[in-house]
Amino acid sequence: MPKAKNIMGTAFSSSWGSLPPFREFILPTPQTYTTLVNIFQYFPVFTLVQWIISWHPAGKGSYQSSWLNVPGKLGWFIMEIIGPVNLLYTLWKLPPLLNLASLPPANKLVAALYVIHYINRAIVSPLFAAPSMSPMHLSVVLMAVLFNWFNSACLAGWLVGYHIPVLGYTTDGAAAAAGPSSSTDNPLLLLPSATPYSPATHFLSSLGMVLFAAGMIGNIYSERTLFRLRREAAQKRDEQQPAPSNSNAQASSLPPKDNSSSSSSSKNKFSKVYVIPPPTGVFRSILYPHYVFEWLEWLGFALVGTAVFPGSTGHASAYALQAESGSGSGPLRLAPWLVPAAWLADQLRVPLPLPAVVFVVNAVANMLPHARWGRRWYVERFGEGAVAGRGAAVPWCSWL
């Protein structure tokens, strides 16, 4: 434990002590990219507080009366749109040899997958699919904006070819030995025919596309199912007089205990109407399949990223720039939970899609405690019988 604390302390002190000028955070340089990844990889440490404190004033846990509330759909749009906007802006505005049009096909594909996901999350889901969204506390919106900005900045730096050497690992696979293809003037473009990379790259990127598609379809289906159940419950509440509670509890609706009056007077009849899905289909063993499918989606995203190779201008550029300026601390020391991914990339001789792997880990670290508290909320409002022994995100696990 003391050793882990020393590693984290060294990482934080080296990152904060060598912060580049603010303008370089808008359009990241290799040094800025290194700093951002070094900080963002430790995000799971901050999520530990979410396991202890259930406070999350958004969605089911929102407070109607707070003057710091942001309308739900507006807040969701703001916090989710920052990611794709920042990514595309960075890829578009970096110098000509690093801009969006000049990127290799694999890099463009990864960028497109990210943007497609967030078009659904920022626009389609809140503005067109959701029947209603509870107010969000401004603090939740700002924290989500910060997370998505960090994440998109790290992904953008990776996709333009910046590369961070990782202490103890060859994170660019075998492709680095070949250098860029002589058939192009673009120093970022490493042609597959010119690089002795492992054949595993073909398989992993293809598998990643399958997982990404399956995860996104499952995520949308699960979420839309919950939206449909909420609409049906609200319609029944409006069409029928309250009846004795002999209906199926798994498809019943219930407004929050402290907000029943505000619910009935709301302009949106779906506001604060919640349902517990019946234990069938994707909800058979867990209550948050949309979370699990999103994790699957980002796992596929990271596997597609094994086809993204650092360009010659980015290859070890972060380390070189730091060495010249005297502001760096050498290769990056990975957070302990990222070491298995680096080891596996080494064994398979494929590039380590470090920012994408960090994203997967951070997404799980952020969402899993929310799912756990959400399961407790379901038990408190609908009873353990309606939960039917299901886990939050782990099948049949009452704790997770």
Side-chain angles (χ1 to χ4, degrees), residues 14-250:
S14 63
S15 296
W16 290 109
S18 59
L19 284 178
F22 176 76
R23 65 180 180 275
E24 294 184 8
F25 285 97
I26 306 303
L27 292 175
T29 62
Q31 180 189 1
T32 308
Y33 167 67
T34 301
T35 301
L36 291 172
V37 174
N38 198 16
I39 294 172
F40 198 46
Q41 68 170 339
Y42 284 100
F43 174 79
V45 175
F46 298 100
T47 66
L48 293 176
V49 70
Q50 296 176 234
W51 292 93
I52 303 170
I53 301 173
S54 63
W55 186 82
H56 185 73
K60 300 180 183 70
S62 65
Y63 303 106
Q64 293 278 17
S65 59
S66 174
W67 64 275
L68 287 175
N69 275 352
V70 177
K73 293 191 176 187
L74 175 62
W76 195 269
F77 171 79
I78 291 173
M79 72 186 197
E80 298 285 20
I81 201 65
I82 188 68
V85 168
N86 187 49
L87 180 80
L88 293 176
Y89 176 78
T90 304
L91 297 182
W92 174 53
K93 293 294 289 184
L94 281 173
L97 289 178
L98 301 178
N99 67 18
L100 183 58
S102 67
L103 292 179
N107 301 47
K108 291 179 182 177
L109 174 61
V110 171
L113 294 179
Y114 181 85
V115 171
I116 288 171
H117 170 89
Y118 278 100
I119 287 175
N120 174 64
R121 297 297 293 167
I123 299 174
V124 177
S125 184
L127 303 184
F128 298 99
S132 70
M133 284 191 166
S134 298
M136 293 182 174
H137 198 274
L138 181 61
S139 62
V140 173
V141 177
L142 293 179
M143 285 187 289
V145 165
L146 183 62
F147 177 93
N148 286 324
W149 179 84
F150 253 100
N151 186 49
S152 58
C154 292
L155 293 173
W158 165 54
L159 292 176
V160 299
Y162 295 162
H163 173 58
I164 305 175
V166 175
L167 191 64
Y169 298 94
T170 307
T171 59
D172 50 0
S181 169
S182 59
S183 63
T184 177
D185 293 329
N186 183 351
L188 284 176
L189 187 56
L190 290 174
L191 296 180
S193 60
T195 57
Y197 61 85
S198 168
T201 298
H202 283 309
F203 170 75
L204 291 177
S205 58
S206 299
L207 174 63
M209 281 299 302
V210 173
L211 294 181
F212 182 90
M216 187 169 188
I217 292 170
N219 175 265
I220 293 173
Y221 172 77
S222 303
E223 194 174 62
R224 300 300 188 271
T225 298
L226 290 173
F227 293 161
R228 176 179 57 80
L229 291 173
R230 287 184 60 197
R231 286 191 177 93
E232 292 174 354
Q235 294 287 359
K236 289 180 180 179
R237 185 191 62 183
D238 284 358
E239 293 172 359
Q240 300 175 358
Q241 292 295 328
S245 55
N246 56 359
S247 58
N248 186 350
Q250 297 164 348

Side-chain angles (χ1 to χ4, degrees), residues 332-388:
L332 180 72
R333 184 185 294 275
L334 286 180
W337 45 86
L338 299 176
V339 169
W343 177 86
L344 188 59
D346 243 11
Q347 297 301 306
L348 296 175
R349 295 172 54 243
V350 298
L352 172 67
L354 181 57
V357 173
V358 170
F359 184 17
V360 175
V361 174
N362 289 356
V364 175
N366 181 45
M367 297 165 70
L368 187 56
H370 285 314
R372 179 173 176 266
W373 286 112
R375 185 189 186 280
R376 176 175 291 187
W377 185 94
Y378 276 124
V379 171
E380 291 174 352
R381 297 306 173 102
F382 296 96
E384 188 66 56
V387 171

